[in-house]
Amino acid sequence: GDAIPETVIEATRRYIREAWNTENWNRDGLTFQQMIAVRGLGYLARFEGDRSGLQMMVQNACLHLPMVGMVQALVEMAYGVESSTCEWSFAHDGDLSITVKIR
């Protein structure tokens, strides 16, 4: 039902925060682009961030729900915050748009 996407996103967010450390993430779009490309998870078409959060778009996204949770966790780790808000949309053509806002 409706709770499944939120549960998958939150579980992935928590897992990434526990399994990775801050040194594994250096806050740049090129590193993230390579990270998802090597895993076959999509093409990073837009990556714009500042101290308030991150906006990005992944074309041909695969496993979009875990991707949202991973991005949210990486933003929180990069900025040293415990929580954030996340909005996302997944288009029929496979484009995944994610906006993470720092609280």
Side-chain angles (χ1 to χ4, degrees):
D2 293 337
I4 291 174
E6 291 178 26
T7 303
V8 171
I9 291 168
E10 181 61 16
T12 305
R13 185 189 76 80
R14 289 181 184 187
Y15 170 75
I16 295 295
R17 289 191 58 106
E18 291 289 323
W20 291 18
N21 59 36
T22 306
E23 289 92 40
N24 289 342
W25 177 240
N26 67 6
R27 304 179 199 181
D28 93 13
L30 181 58
T31 300
F32 188 76
Q33 182 179 33
Q34 292 169 345
M35 185 173 78
I36 65 173
V38 165
R39 290 168 176 80
L41 298 175
Y43 173 75
L44 183 62
R46 191 177 91 222
F47 186 95
E48 299 171 8
D50 58 27
R51 286 234 167 258
S52 65
L54 175 74
Q55 292 183 334
M56 62 180 286
M57 200 234 322
V58 179
Q59 295 175 335
N60 300 316
C62 180
L63 302 172
H64 66 282
L65 296 175
M67 174 78 73
V68 173
M70 178 176 61
V71 168
Q72 186 175 9
L74 292 173
V75 169
E76 290 172 1
M77 290 168 35
Y79 290 106
V81 298
E82 291 300 316
S83 65
S84 62
T85 59
C86 186
E87 297 175 5
W88 61 277
S89 65
F90 187 63
H92 292 288
D93 64 359
D95 288 352
L96 173 62
S97 297
I98 304 171
T99 301
V100 179
K101 295 180 183 173
I102 302 298
R103 291 184 187 181

